[in-house]
Amino acid sequence: MRLDPNSAIPLYRQIYDSLRDAITSGRLAPGAALPATRVLAQELAVSRNTTAAALAQLRAEGYLEVRPRSGTRVSPLLPDTLLAAPRGRAGRPSAAVRHPALSRHGARLAALHPSTTSAPRPFRFGIPALDAFPWHLWARLTSRRLRHSAAALTGYDRATGFAPLREAIAGYVRAARGAVCASEQVIITSGAQQGLDLLARLLIDEGDQVWVENPGYPSARAAFAAVGARIVPIPLDAEGLDVRAGARRAPRARLVYTTPSRQYPVGVTMSAARRFELLRWAARADAWVVEDDYDSEFRYVSRPLACLQGLDESGRVLYVGTFSKTLFPGLRLGYVIVPPALAGAFATARAVADWHSPAVEQAVLADFIREGHFARHIRRMRVLYQTRRDALLAALEALAPNSLEVTDAGAGMQLLGWLPRGVSDRHVAELALAAGLDVAPLSAFAIGPLARGGLVLGYTEFAPAVLKAAVRRLGAVLERVRQ
Ligand SMILES: Cc1ncc(COP(=O)(O)O)c(C=O)c1O
């Protein structure tokens, strides 16, 4: 056995590694005796503590055993044998296995096209500025929770979520969004997406009609399509979802999905009059309203309107929120504020799906909110995003006139640039991709053809200089299209 005293690997670990190697390769056979720690220490010119630590580790893992009067020996049955599964049978799987018959629900799911992740290049949208996140603080709060409350947070918790987080969220949406709710109505989910999936399963039967904004959020449509809903695309106008058009097309719809704070991806804010019109229609039609409030924290010019949930007097709004935009998407924490009579059904559905979200992350998030870090982080990001948005707007102004007409809703995490009529946004997006730019074509969010194409441009992740250079490249692409 050769030891390297200058290695970063501690000596006891080097001894452990070589003995384990010798045992698993068979050089030290099962039953072989090992020298006493004192003798081994002398042979290797290390302290006895060092050899004792190496042998203790091998014993703890089951490679060695100590028997009275026969000393330390290699175990007759090695742990590697106990942990390794027998080899599976080889052979060609049958046709039924290669092309498995899915359930009706399974077939609908498999036919969907979930959105994929893309590289962080301009103008990717929907991702917060992850380099500006207070990671050290998050790490400190996590380590504090693990040191002081590991026992309470590492077993099973309630399916509805960690109680202090539910309280912190209820307090936040009451104060910041005008919601009217108690913490018992807050169901913690794995991001907004799980909230949409659960509510679709709980409220929609196969064949039920669901209004969705067109263009709109494809992942919400996917959750409704998976349960067999008939998706009814509803157009938008300057005040948001066109309720009258919806009432004409599908008067008996069971549910309406909407993004009233800032329509996704066009950016219109639903007017106050339209909010009341939608709620009146829903009350008459006995329909549910799902309000997806994914990025309302980022407003740069005016105060937000109260959320639909807070205006609703008939208890038919389900408010979906997420921390993917305010904190980071990998956290996978979101919530649904449900009418009180639905809370029990949500808890059961969540338990059946996956019990609950990780409790340590929920507790850290609760601390982050309660100790004021959340509000502070949002304030900082609002300023940062406004600077980036202004830089993007200024750079876009320098583009050739009429090549891209930008609508600025003064809010959110992305802008929409309308292309001249007749120009295909998918074609522009392909050319932009070849130029190293990620621009999402508006038609990718639409059901059926759109009267006018557009480009969705994100800015939250990029410094002003990066945005400026990217707009120059985009300008060259748009020039090519015009010629
Ligand atoms: C309209 C809308 N709702 C919700 C979400 C958030 O989804 P999640 O919380 O599942 O990450 C997004 C993210 O892109 C979104 O665009």
Side-chain angles (χ1 to χ4, degrees):
M1 189 186 307
R2 236 188 264 135
L3 301 181
D4 175 2
N6 298 320
S7 162
I9 303 170
L11 287 171
Y12 92 88
R13 180 82 211 186
Q14 295 184 41
I15 299 171
Y16 161 91
D17 284 341
S18 2
L19 284 175
R20 185 172 171 271
D21 243 22
I23 294 169
T24 52
S25 66
R27 273 180 286 127
L28 269 177
L34 263 83
T37 51
R38 185 178 32 81
V39 177
L40 195 58
Q42 268 165 8
E43 266 175 32
L44 297 173
V46 296
S47 80
R48 190 171 165 193
N49 281 348
T50 306
T51 52
L55 295 195
Q57 185 62 33
L58 289 162
R59 238 185 4 253
E61 292 179 27
Y63 289 104
L64 300 178
E65 46 181 45
V66 184
R67 295 235 189 91
R69 286 190 299 281
S70 62
T72 303
R73 289 180 181 273
V74 176
S75 301
L77 204 52
L78 299 183
D80 308 67
T81 328
L82 292 174
L83 294 173
R87 284 251 202 103
R89 276 170 296 132
R92 196 171 152 66
S94 69
V97 171
R98 277 181 285 129
H99 306 288
L102 296 174
S103 64
R104 276 207 310 274
H105 183 243
R108 282 194 301 262
L109 269 177
L112 295 168
H113 301 281
S115 60
T116 46
T117 55
S118 52
R121 62 184 159 210
F123 302 92
R124 178 168 84 160
F125 79 100
I127 310 287
L130 299 177
D131 55 346
F133 188 78
W135 296 114
H136 285 293
L137 169 65
W138 191 264
R140 193 152 49 73
L141 297 180
T142 306
S143 119
R144 189 176 74 190
R145 274 294 183 177
L146 286 175
R147 271 185 283 119
H148 299 300
S149 356
L153 295 175
T154 45
Y156 288 104
D157 196 10
R158 297 231 179 104
T160 42
F162 182 62
L165 178 59
R166 299 172 76 197
E167 273 157 33
I169 290 173
Y172 168 68
V173 292
R174 281 193 300 254
R177 305 294 304 116
V180 179
C181 68
S183 63
E184 291 74 27
Q185 290 170 256
V186 180
I187 312 289
I188 308 292
T189 54
S190 171
Q193 191 60 30
Q194 191 186 37
L196 295 170
D197 181 62
L198 291 180
L199 68 87
R201 287 165 195 254
L202 285 168
L203 302 176
I204 299 299
D205 281 317
E206 279 183 44
D208 282 347
Q209 290 180 318
V210 170
W211 292 10
V212 297
E213 295 164 333
N214 190 35
Y217 185 41
S219 302
R221 286 205 298 266
F224 298 121
V227 293
R230 274 165 44 213
I231 304 289
V232 187
I234 309 295
L236 309 165
D237 63 18
E239 294 190 63
L241 179 80
D242 186 341
V243 175
R244 263 179 242 170
R248 273 197 308 275
R249 284 181 195 187
R252 275 201 277 282
R254 179 121 176 85
L255 186 146
V256 178
Y257 168 81
T258 180
T259 48
S261 291
R262 205 183 113 76
Q263 202 279 333
Y264 180 99
V266 172
V268 196
T269 298
M270 190 184 281
S271 68
R274 188 61 58 82
R275 286 170 197 243
F276 286 112
E277 190 184 348
L278 174 60
L279 291 172
R280 274 197 307 272
W281 176 83
R284 274 201 310 276
D286 197 17
W288 298 107
V289 176
V290 175
E291 174 177 30
D292 181 349
D293 209 3
Y294 62 106
D295 76 352
S296 63
E297 284 78 8
F298 302 116
R299 297 195 71 83
Y300 312 115
V301 288
S302 57
R303 276 166 64 102
L305 292 170
C307 65
L308 283 172
Q309 197 276 352
L311 300 174
D312 171 39
E313 286 175 356
S314 62
R316 53 189 66 254
V317 175
L318 291 90
Y319 177 100
V320 178
T322 179
F323 293 98
S324 290
K325 312 289 166 180
T326 45
L327 301 182
F328 52 101
L331 182 60
R332 304 313 305 140
L333 284 176
Y335 51 95
V336 187
I337 298 176
V338 302
L342 283 179
F346 264 83
T348 308
R350 181 73 209 259
V352 170
D354 63 342
W355 286 117
H356 60 74
S357 295
V360 175
E361 274 78 1
Q362 291 189 68
V364 172
L365 176 54
D367 296 344
F368 194 79
I369 298 174
R370 284 187 306 188
E371 293 170 26
H373 307 301
F374 182 66
R376 205 160 23 251
H377 181 60
I378 289 177
R379 285 196 295 272
R380 281 183 51 236
M381 290 308 101
R382 202 176 279 143
V383 172
L384 182 72
Y385 295 165
Q386 182 162 16
T387 313
R388 293 180 173 185
R389 181 197 71 137
D390 291 350
L392 175 57
L393 280 173
L396 289 171
E397 266 174 28
L399 288 180
N402 306 328
S403 57
L404 204 61
E405 189 189 320
V406 177
T407 51
D408 172 25
M413 300 170 77
Q414 65 262 355
L415 294 174
L416 176 67
W418 293 101
L419 288 165
R421 279 177 201 279
V423 173
S424 153
D425 53 14
R426 286 184 193 264
H427 178 56
V428 175
E430 273 166 30
L431 294 177
L433 189 63
L437 299 174
D438 185 345
V439 295
L442 184 61
S443 53
F445 303 90
I447 300 173
L450 286 173
R452 195 173 171 191
L455 305 177
V456 182
L457 306 174
Y459 49 82
T460 46
E461 290 181 274
F462 312 105
V466 174
L467 291 168
K468 212 169 148 190
V471 168
R472 270 201 301 276
R473 269 187 285 156
L474 180 63
V477 168
L478 293 171
E479 264 316 293
R480 273 176 58 201
V481 175
R482 282 153 65 92
Q483 280 159 11

